[in-house]
Amino acid sequence: QALEGWALQLGAFGTLPGAQARAAQARAAGYRRVFIRAEGRRGARAGYKVLLGIYPSAEVARGNLPEIRGKGLEGFVVPHR
C-alpha cells in the first residue's frame, strides 16, 4: 500500500549522500518518519528529496513547521505520494 498524505520537504539534493546527511540530521533531532524519495526521468540525472512525516492534511503538516524550525531544520509542505 502506498503512503499518501502530506509531508514536510526538508531538502532536495543532487546526490544520495547529501540526502542521507539531511535525513540523518532529522533523525538526530528525534524524527522517525523520514523518507528519501528518488526523483527523475529515465535517462536524466536523479535527484533526491528528503521528506518528513505523513500528515492527513496540508494544515496539519504546516502546523509542524514551528517545531522543526525550533530544532534547526527548514521545510515546506508538499504532497506525499
Side-chain angles (χ1 to χ4, degrees), residues 10 19-20 41 49-50 56 59 73:
L10 303 181
Q20 290 170 326
R41 297 180 311 277
K49 293 183 178 178
V50 179
E59 293 76 22
L73 299 167

Side-chain angles (χ1 to χ4, degrees), residues 11-50:
F13 301 86
T15 65
L16 183 56
Q20 290 170 326
R22 180 61 51 86
Q25 181 184 14
R27 288 186 184 104
Y31 295 104
R32 298 291 165 248
R33 295 198 103 181
V34 180
F35 304 88
I36 297 174
R37 183 169 67 194
E39 300 277 324
R41 297 180 311 277
R42 191 176 222 184
R45 185 172 161 202
Y48 303 90
K49 293 183 178 178
V50 179

